[in-house]
Every structure is written in structure tokens, then in C-alpha cells.
Amino acid sequence: MSDEQAPELAARAAALLNDAESAVAGATDRDALAAVRARLVGKRGAVKDLQRAISALPKEARRAAGQSVNVVARQVQALIDARREALEAAAGDGPLDPTFDPTWPGAVSPRGSLHPVTLILDEIRAIFTRLGFDEVSGPEIEDAWHNFDALNIPAGHPARERSDQFYVEGDRLIRSQTSTVQIRVMETNEPPLRVFAPGRVYRPETVDATHLYAFHQVEGLMVGEDVTFVDLKGCLLTFVQSLFGPDVEIRFRPSYFPFTEVSAELDVRRADGEWMEVLGCGMVHPDVLTGVGYDAERYTGFAFGVGLERLAMRRWQLGDIRLLEENDVRFLSQFG
Ligand code: DAH
């Protein structure tokens, strides 16, 4: 096209603008506009053709021609943009689907409820957080060190029998108590410390009205200088009264755990008058403190492990612990 003339190019540009005005106005939906856009300003579109033609002009004419083609190019693009906005706005405010009735009531989906054990745990969290305890956790699959040795339960102890634990592989087992977390915390932190650790524990128990083979505990541990049994009793009294009200009847019974000295169990009175054990506790055994590298002359501590299902039974007067793991919706939907 070496014979291209500047006036001719200007005329083509004017014609293109004309054509664009009617083509854009005639595009009545997005797809039509996209086609028009490709034809006018696309890679092989009319505007590109004009721009290419400029290079065939005599040198002196190129600048002026280039400017006028650019002006047209911008105008065409502006036409397309305006049309697109108009089409989008129209789509938004378009006539409603005649079958759509906005006065129909909303479809309310059924709402779940929280499991009683979750409700109890939430309360326990709030109570111990208020008492200055931090929440921690540990693994469910444990080694013999954390489940036994570090808790003063030596090899050969009857509690370690293969039939009394859920062993997974070798000496690994799914933990039978959250006391494992005490050890993990003390191994990695220096006193003073105050922690509570909720978690699931497993024991090959025969299931009956007060026993499950998998249940929940919250472990508590406080270590520092001058921590005494009085602190333990005060803390647990506050805990039980916060949960069950100030009139709850409780009793501390002397007991035995390898990892505490002295040891006790705490019972609460049920509505039927029976005492029910809800937690074990005691002063952390000096051998346990020494075992994690603490100075047992300087530090003392108390610990406790409480069963959540038992607390839920007392709270809602449940006669059978199995209600808490059957997941019968008629039972569960009665809770918050
Ligand atoms: N780990 C004991 C159990 O599962 C409960 C327990 C007793 C936890 C005394 C403690 C404790 O921290 O000091 O039966």
C-alpha cells in the first residue's frame, strides 16, 4: 500500500467512527457487543488496519495521520465502554422474572445444638481462664515415658499391662489419661506455671452406666514456690461451685495415684443422693518434679484430672453415661 494517501486515511477514519456508532448502538447484549468490539478494536480489527496503514504514508504525513487515527481509536473505545456500562446497568434493573415472588417466607435451615460435653468444657475453660490458667494440649498417641515412666508408673506396674491399655505399636498407646500433658508442659516450661489441658482419653473398660472406653478429661497443673494442698482445695472448691452452684455437696476422699503424694478424689452428691467420683487430684510427687528437671526442694505443685462426662451427668441429672456418646438427636437437641 505504498500509494496510501493521507486524505484517504482520514476519510477511512471518519467512516470507521460512523460505522462504530451504529454498530455499538445496535449491540443489544454482551455477546453482541463483544463481537462488535473484536471487529472494531480487536487485534485484527478496523482500528489496527488504520494504524498499520500509517506506515505506508510518506514520512511527513505520518504524524498528523497518526494523531487523527488515535483520536478515532479513543472515541470508538469510549463508545464501547459506555455501551457496556449501559447494558450492565440494564441487566441489574431489568424486569423481574414473573415467577419470582419476593414475599415468600425464607427457608430456615435446621440449626444444630452443642453437645453437653462441649457445653461443660466451655464452662470449664471460662472458670480456669478466670483463675489464671492457660489452655494447653498434647497428643493422643503417646509413648510410655509420658503415659507412665515420667508419672512414676515404672515398668512392670500392673497399670501398664497390655490388656489394660490400648497399645498401638510397641510401647506406643492411645493415652489413658491427660496427665501426660503435665509432663509435656513441665519438660518445656519453667515454673511458675498454671495450665489446664482438655482432651480425649481411652481405656479398655467394660461400658456400663458410669463408664465409657473413650471419654474426656481436663487435666490441671499448678507449680510454683509455696503451692500447698490448701491451694488445691480452694481451687477445686471454686471450680465445683462455679459449675454446680454454691450449694453443691462435695467430699474429698484420700486416695492413691503414683504421680501425686498426697492424693485425693473428689465426689459430688447426685440428685439421687449417691456420691459420684468426678476427679482425682493431689500434690505432684517430688519424683515427678525431679524427673522433668525441676528442683523439688524449691517447687511444689498440685494437679487434678476431671472427667467431663461425669460432670455432664451431674449437671443434667443423667442416669446413664452412654447417652453422651450415642448421638441420639432426640437427646442432643435438648441442649443449647
Ligand atoms: N490421671 C488420673 C486418672 O485418669 C486422674 C488424676 C489424678 C489426674 C490425680 C491428676 C492427679 O492430675 O493429680 O484417673
Side-chain angles (χ1 to χ4, degrees), residues 30-261:
R30 279 171 199 234
D31 289 346
L33 186 61
V36 168
R37 183 179 176 286
R39 181 162 72 75
L40 295 174
V41 297
K43 263 195 203 139
R44 287 181 232 281
V47 167
K48 274 279 179 311
D49 279 349
L50 284 183
Q51 282 165 340
R52 268 192 293 271
I54 292 170
S55 56
L57 289 177
K59 220 175 186 178
E60 331 70 74
R62 282 185 204 162
R63 194 179 149 89
Q67 280 172 351
S68 54
V69 169
N70 282 346
V71 168
V72 166
R74 274 199 295 275
Q75 285 171 323
V76 171
Q77 187 62 52
L79 285 171
I80 292 170
D81 291 345
R83 183 68 183 152
R84 194 186 52 238
E85 279 172 31
L87 286 176
E88 279 170 5
D93 310 333
L96 291 178
D97 175 349
T99 62
F100 176 73
D101 178 358
T103 66
W104 265 56
V108 179
S109 20
R111 222 163 49 94
S113 56
L114 292 177
H115 191 280
V117 170
T118 304
L119 295 173
I120 286 283
L121 176 55
D122 284 348
E123 287 187 39
I124 294 177
R125 279 205 169 97
I127 295 166
F128 282 107
T129 303
R130 217 160 51 224
L131 292 173
F133 285 69
D134 291 327
E135 181 167 346
V136 293
S137 66
E140 290 192 12
I141 296 184
E142 265 296 3
D143 48 43
W145 168 256
H146 292 94
N147 204 82
F148 302 122
D149 298 284
L151 289 165
N152 213 15
I153 306 172
H157 191 285
R160 297 176 67 150
E161 293 279 325
R162 306 216 59 95
S163 57
D164 279 346
Q165 302 288 337
F166 285 118
Y167 283 95
V168 179
E169 194 183 71
D171 262 1
R172 292 194 169 266
L173 72 165
I174 42 180
R175 67 183 174 197
S176 57
Q177 49 185 351
T178 45
S179 303
T180 52
V181 187
Q182 288 184 32
I183 303 303
R184 290 190 175 272
V185 167
M186 290 192 284
E187 281 172 339
T188 50
N189 293 276
E190 288 301 313
L193 49 89
R194 253 186 275 191
V195 294
F196 69 101
R200 212 191 281 261
V201 298
Y202 305 85
R203 293 175 194 178
E205 299 261 18
T206 303
V207 173
D208 63 21
T210 49
H211 295 88
L212 294 172
Y213 58 82
F215 57 100
H216 298 79
Q217 289 186 327
V218 170
E219 193 78 10
L221 174 70
M222 175 170 177
V223 182
E225 293 182 19
D226 303 323
V227 176
T228 68
F229 195 70
V230 171
D231 299 308
L232 164 64
K233 279 183 82 174
C235 177
L236 292 180
L237 190 63
T238 304
F239 167 55
V240 178
Q241 288 185 340
S242 304
L243 212 52
F244 298 124
D247 299 330
V248 62
E249 276 187 86
I250 64 165
R251 72 181 184 193
F252 276 96
R253 268 185 301 106
S255 185
Y256 172 78
F257 299 101
F259 37 91
T260 46
E261 179 62 33

